[in-house]
Protein backbone atom coordinates (compact mmCIF):
# COMPACT_ATOMS: atom_id res chain seq x y z
CA UNK A 1 0.00 0.00 0.00
CA UNK A 2 1.18 3.51 -0.73
CA UNK A 3 1.66 6.30 1.75
CA UNK A 4 -1.86 7.42 0.97
CA UNK A 5 -1.03 10.01 -1.64
CA UNK A 6 -2.65 8.21 -4.58
CA UNK A 7 -6.22 9.01 -3.55
CA UNK A 8 -7.13 5.35 -3.08
CA UNK A 9 -7.62 5.41 0.66
CA UNK A 10 -6.28 2.74 2.96
CA UNK A 11 -7.24 -0.38 4.87
CA UNK A 12 -6.81 -0.45 8.66
CA UNK A 13 -6.60 -3.87 10.27
CA UNK A 14 -7.26 -5.07 13.81
CA UNK A 15 -9.20 -4.14 16.92
CA UNK A 16 -6.79 -1.62 18.46
CA UNK A 17 -6.01 0.44 15.34
CA UNK A 18 -9.67 0.67 14.31
CA UNK A 19 -10.91 1.43 17.81
CA UNK A 20 -8.32 4.17 18.36
CA UNK A 21 -9.18 5.82 15.05
CA UNK A 22 -12.80 5.98 16.19
CA UNK A 23 -11.86 7.20 19.66
CA UNK A 24 -9.73 9.94 18.12
CA UNK A 25 -12.54 11.04 15.83
CA UNK A 26 -10.59 10.27 12.67
CA UNK A 27 -12.46 10.04 9.37
CA UNK A 28 -13.46 6.55 8.26
CA UNK A 29 -15.48 5.25 5.32
CA UNK A 30 -16.75 2.05 6.93
CA UNK A 31 -15.99 -0.61 9.50
CA UNK A 32 -16.32 -4.26 8.51
CA UNK A 33 -16.72 -6.99 11.10
CA UNK A 34 -16.36 -10.70 10.35
CA UNK A 35 -19.52 -12.74 10.80
CA UNK A 36 -18.37 -14.69 13.84
CA UNK A 37 -16.57 -11.86 15.62
CA UNK A 38 -17.80 -10.77 19.01
CA UNK A 39 -16.17 -9.26 22.09
CA UNK A 40 -16.44 -6.25 24.36
CA UNK A 41 -13.88 -4.46 22.19
CA UNK A 42 -15.85 -5.12 19.02
CA UNK A 43 -19.06 -4.05 20.76
CA UNK A 44 -17.27 -0.79 21.63
CA UNK A 45 -16.20 -0.39 17.99
CA UNK A 46 -19.81 -0.80 16.89
CA UNK A 47 -20.94 1.80 19.45
CA UNK A 48 -18.22 4.30 18.52
CA UNK A 49 -18.91 3.84 14.81
CA UNK A 50 -22.63 4.41 15.32
CA UNK A 51 -21.96 7.58 17.30
CA UNK A 52 -19.67 8.83 14.52
CA UNK A 53 -22.16 7.83 11.79
CA UNK A 54 -19.66 5.39 10.30
CA UNK A 55 -21.39 2.46 8.55
CA UNK A 56 -20.71 -0.97 10.03
CA UNK A 57 -20.94 -3.95 7.69
CA UNK A 58 -20.21 -7.64 7.89
CA UNK A 59 -17.89 -9.81 5.85
CA UNK A 60 -16.94 -13.44 5.77
CA UNK A 61 -13.66 -14.78 7.07
CA UNK A 62 -12.18 -15.28 3.59
CA UNK A 63 -12.89 -11.68 2.57
CA UNK A 64 -11.52 -10.40 5.88
CA UNK A 65 -8.32 -12.39 5.32
CA UNK A 66 -8.02 -11.02 1.79
CA UNK A 67 -8.54 -7.39 2.84
CA UNK A 68 -6.12 -7.78 5.73
CA UNK A 69 -3.35 -8.88 3.38
CA UNK A 70 -1.95 -11.48 5.75
CA UNK A 71 -2.27 -9.40 8.91
CA UNK A 72 -4.03 -10.81 11.97
CA UNK A 73 -7.27 -8.86 11.65
CA UNK A 74 -9.08 -10.09 14.79
CA UNK A 75 -12.32 -9.94 12.83
CA UNK A 76 -12.14 -6.18 12.21
CA UNK A 77 -11.14 -4.33 9.04
CA UNK A 78 -11.88 -0.70 8.24
CA UNK A 79 -11.69 1.41 5.12
CA UNK A 80 -10.40 4.93 5.76
CA UNK A 81 -9.15 7.95 3.79
CA UNK A 82 -5.48 8.28 2.94
CA UNK A 83 -3.26 8.61 5.99
CA UNK A 84 -3.44 12.21 7.29
CA UNK A 85 0.18 13.31 7.30
CA UNK A 86 0.90 16.69 8.86
CA UNK A 87 3.46 19.30 7.92
CA UNK A 88 6.54 19.83 10.05
CA UNK A 89 5.43 23.43 10.55
CA UNK A 90 2.12 22.26 12.03
CA UNK A 91 3.85 19.96 14.48
CA UNK A 92 6.51 22.48 15.49
CA UNK A 93 3.95 25.27 15.80
CA UNK A 94 1.60 23.40 18.12
CA UNK A 95 1.48 25.22 21.46
CA UNK A 96 1.43 23.83 24.96
CA UNK A 97 3.79 20.95 24.27
CA UNK A 98 7.09 22.09 25.72
CA UNK A 99 9.67 20.78 25.98
CA UNK A 100 8.95 19.46 22.52
CA UNK A 101 9.91 15.86 21.78
CA UNK A 102 9.94 14.48 18.24
CA UNK A 103 11.22 11.14 16.99
CA UNK A 104 12.88 10.93 13.56
CA UNK A 105 13.45 7.60 11.85
CA UNK A 106 16.34 7.11 9.42
CA UNK A 107 16.57 3.99 7.20
CA UNK A 108 14.35 1.74 9.33
CA UNK A 109 12.72 -0.38 6.63
CA UNK A 110 11.03 -3.06 8.76
CA UNK A 111 7.36 -2.02 9.14
CA UNK A 112 7.05 -3.83 12.46
CA UNK A 113 9.91 -1.75 13.85
CA UNK A 114 8.39 1.50 12.56
CA UNK A 115 5.02 0.63 14.07
CA UNK A 116 6.59 -0.34 17.38
CA UNK A 117 8.58 2.90 17.51
CA UNK A 118 5.39 4.88 16.89
CA UNK A 119 3.60 2.94 19.64
CA UNK A 120 6.31 3.62 22.22
CA UNK A 121 6.74 7.23 21.13
CA UNK A 122 3.06 7.95 21.63
CA UNK A 123 2.94 6.08 24.93
CA UNK A 124 5.89 8.06 26.32
CA UNK A 125 4.60 11.47 25.29
CA UNK A 126 6.34 12.27 22.00
CA UNK A 127 4.66 15.06 20.07
CA UNK A 128 5.34 13.79 16.58
CA UNK A 129 7.07 11.26 14.34
CA UNK A 130 9.25 12.24 11.37
CA UNK A 131 9.04 9.43 8.84
CA UNK A 132 10.84 10.31 5.58
CA UNK A 133 9.42 9.22 2.24
CA UNK A 134 12.56 7.38 1.15
CA UNK A 135 14.67 4.66 2.79
CA UNK A 136 12.07 4.11 5.51
CA UNK A 137 8.99 1.91 5.77
CA UNK A 138 5.76 3.57 4.65
CA UNK A 139 2.55 3.80 6.65
CA UNK A 140 1.00 0.46 5.69
CA UNK A 141 -1.55 -1.84 7.33
CA UNK A 142 1.41 -3.65 8.92
CA UNK A 143 2.76 -0.43 10.43
CA UNK A 144 -0.65 0.63 11.73
CA UNK A 145 -1.25 -2.83 13.18
CA UNK A 146 2.14 -2.85 14.92
CA UNK A 147 1.47 0.65 16.27
CA UNK A 148 -1.68 -0.72 17.96
CA UNK A 149 -3.67 2.48 17.52
CA UNK A 150 -0.89 4.95 18.37
CA UNK A 151 -0.98 6.47 14.89
CA UNK A 152 -4.52 7.66 15.54
CA UNK A 153 -3.06 10.07 18.09
CA UNK A 154 0.57 10.69 17.09
CA UNK A 155 1.14 13.31 14.36
CA UNK A 156 3.32 11.99 11.53
CA UNK A 157 5.40 14.12 9.17
CA UNK A 158 6.58 12.53 5.91
CA UNK A 159 9.23 14.81 4.38
CA UNK A 160 11.08 14.18 1.15
CA UNK A 161 14.36 15.18 2.80
CA UNK A 162 15.09 14.14 6.38
CA UNK A 163 18.23 16.26 6.71
CA UNK A 164 16.40 19.46 5.77
CA UNK A 165 13.66 18.59 8.26
CA UNK A 166 16.23 18.11 11.00
CA UNK A 167 17.79 21.46 10.13
CA UNK A 168 14.34 23.08 10.35
CA UNK A 169 13.88 21.52 13.78
CA UNK A 170 17.20 22.98 14.90
CA UNK A 171 16.18 26.39 13.56
CA UNK A 172 13.01 26.08 15.64
CA UNK A 173 15.08 25.56 18.79
CA UNK A 174 15.19 21.78 19.07
CA UNK A 175 18.36 19.86 19.80
CA UNK A 176 19.17 16.87 17.57
CA UNK A 177 20.15 13.79 19.57
CA UNK A 178 21.18 10.77 17.51
CA UNK A 179 21.29 7.16 18.69
CA UNK A 180 24.53 5.53 17.62
CA UNK A 181 26.75 2.71 18.85
CA UNK A 182 30.03 3.33 20.67
CA UNK A 183 29.81 7.10 21.06
CA UNK A 184 31.24 7.19 24.55
CA UNK A 185 28.21 8.97 26.01
CA UNK A 186 25.30 7.06 27.51
CA UNK A 187 21.85 8.36 26.63
CA UNK A 188 20.94 8.65 30.33
CA UNK A 189 23.91 10.97 30.87
CA UNK A 190 22.98 13.36 28.07
CA UNK A 191 22.22 16.82 29.43
CA UNK A 192 19.78 17.61 26.61
CA UNK A 193 17.01 15.17 27.53
CA UNK A 194 14.94 17.78 29.31
CA UNK A 195 15.32 20.29 26.46
CA UNK A 196 13.21 20.52 23.29
CA UNK A 197 14.73 17.81 21.12
CA UNK A 198 14.50 15.35 18.27
CA UNK A 199 15.54 11.77 18.98
CA UNK A 200 17.01 10.41 15.74
CA UNK A 201 16.88 6.63 15.38
CA UNK A 202 18.72 4.69 12.70
CA UNK A 203 18.55 1.15 11.38
CA UNK A 204 19.87 -1.82 13.27
CA UNK A 205 23.42 -2.52 12.20
CA UNK A 206 23.98 0.31 9.72
CA UNK A 207 22.78 3.02 12.11
CA UNK A 208 22.37 6.61 10.94
CA UNK A 209 23.37 7.76 7.48
CA UNK A 210 26.46 9.95 7.35
CA UNK A 211 24.52 13.11 6.46
CA UNK A 212 22.03 12.46 9.25
CA UNK A 213 24.77 11.72 11.77
CA UNK A 214 26.69 14.89 11.00
CA UNK A 215 23.59 17.03 11.55
CA UNK A 216 23.09 15.75 15.09
CA UNK A 217 24.23 17.98 17.96
CA UNK A 218 25.18 14.97 20.04
CA UNK A 219 25.40 11.22 19.55
CA UNK A 220 24.49 8.93 22.42
CA UNK A 221 24.68 5.19 22.97
CA UNK A 222 22.72 2.64 24.94
CA UNK A 223 24.17 0.45 27.68
CA UNK A 224 25.27 -2.99 26.50
CA UNK A 225 26.97 -5.62 28.62
CA UNK A 226 26.39 -8.77 26.60
CA UNK A 227 27.87 -10.18 23.41
CA UNK A 228 25.29 -8.78 20.96
CA UNK A 229 26.64 -5.53 19.52
CA UNK A 230 23.39 -3.80 18.54
CA UNK A 231 19.75 -3.52 19.52
CA UNK A 232 16.68 -3.91 17.38
CA UNK A 233 15.70 -0.39 16.24
CA UNK A 234 12.38 -0.39 18.08
CA UNK A 235 13.99 -1.66 21.28
CA UNK A 236 16.71 0.99 21.04
CA UNK A 237 14.12 3.71 20.54
CA UNK A 238 12.09 2.42 23.48
CA UNK A 239 15.11 2.44 25.79
CA UNK A 240 16.05 5.97 24.77
CA UNK A 241 12.49 7.26 25.07
CA UNK A 242 12.23 5.77 28.54
CA UNK A 243 15.45 7.57 29.53
CA UNK A 244 14.04 10.83 28.19
CA UNK A 245 10.76 10.34 30.03
CA UNK A 246 12.56 9.53 33.26
CA UNK A 247 14.80 12.59 32.95
CA UNK A 248 11.83 14.84 32.32
CA UNK A 249 9.83 13.44 35.22
CA UNK A 250 12.82 14.07 37.48
CA UNK A 251 13.45 17.50 35.89
CA UNK A 252 16.99 16.65 34.98
CA UNK A 253 19.18 14.01 33.34
CA UNK A 254 19.35 10.63 35.01
Amino acid sequence: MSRGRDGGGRVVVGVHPVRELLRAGRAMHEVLVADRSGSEAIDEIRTLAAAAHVPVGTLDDATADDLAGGQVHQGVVARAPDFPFQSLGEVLGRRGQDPKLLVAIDQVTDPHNVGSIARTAEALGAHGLILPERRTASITPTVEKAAAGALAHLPVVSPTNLVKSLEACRDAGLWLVGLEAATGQQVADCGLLTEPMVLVVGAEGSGLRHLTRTRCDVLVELPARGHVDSYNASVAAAMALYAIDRARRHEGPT
Side-chain angles (χ1 to χ4, degrees):
M1 176 169 290
S2 73
R3 287 181 176 273
R5 293 193 174 96
D6 58 4
R10 74 192 199 277
V11 172
V12 183
V13 176
V15 168
H16 294 299
V18 172
R19 181 172 58 186
E20 292 307 317
L21 283 174
L22 289 165
R23 285 176 172 176
R26 295 292 184 92
M28 302 184 74
H29 297 317
E30 63 177 342
V31 175
L32 302 171
V33 180
D35 294 335
R36 294 179 293 175
S37 297
S39 66
E40 288 185 10
I42 289 179
D43 288 344
E44 182 184 359
I45 286 172
R46 291 181 184 275
T47 300
L48 290 168
H53 305 291
V54 175
V56 178
T58 59
L59 71 169
D60 58 48
D61 290 339
T63 305
D65 291 340
D66 182 60
L67 285 172
Q71 296 297 305
V72 179
H73 54 72
Q74 301 168 294
V76 179
V77 178
R79 299 183 191 273
D82 297 340
F83 188 85
F85 292 102
Q86 298 189 25
S87 71
L88 183 60
E90 287 175 314
V91 174
L92 291 174
R94 196 160 287 125
R95 302 294 181 183
Q97 295 184 328
D98 293 325
K100 189 81 73 180
L101 172 61
L102 304 181
V103 178
I105 298 179
D106 184 34
Q107 297 194 111
V108 178
T109 57
D110 185 328
H112 294 94
N113 273 335
V114 171
S116 295
I117 292 170
R119 182 176 184 174
T120 305
E122 199 282 328
L124 288 174
H127 303 117
L129 181 70
I130 302 176
L131 188 67
E133 282 187 352
R134 297 190 294 271
R135 304 186 185 93
T136 304
S138 305
I139 298 292
T140 63
T142 302
V143 170
E144 290 203 73
K145 184 69 165 56
L151 290 171
H153 307 281
L154 183 68
V156 181
V157 179
S158 183
T160 57
N161 189 305
L162 177 60
V163 169
K164 288 184 178 178
S165 293
L166 293 176
E167 291 171 345
C169 288
R170 177 187 285 117
D171 291 343
L174 280 67
W175 295 93
L176 309 179
V177 178
L179 274 181
E180 191 81 328
T183 66
Q185 179 173 200
Q186 296 285 313
V187 62
D189 297 327
C190 178
L192 299 177
L193 303 189
T194 58
E195 299 293 325
M197 62 170 285
V198 182
L199 176 68
V200 190
V201 181
E204 179 181 355
S206 60
L208 302 173
R209 287 179 298 142
H210 174 73
L211 283 176
T212 306
R213 186 184 305 113
T214 57
R215 294 308 189 278
C216 291
D217 297 300
V218 62
L219 297 172
V220 296
E221 65 182 17
L222 296 165
R225 297 183 179 85
H227 298 288
V228 178
D229 61 1
S230 66
Y231 291 99
N232 172 284
S234 61
V235 172
M239 293 172 67
L241 285 164
Y242 173 75
I244 294 166
D245 178 69
R246 186 169 183 227
R248 291 182 176 202
R249 284 188 287 110
H250 289 80
E251 297 182 343
T254 56

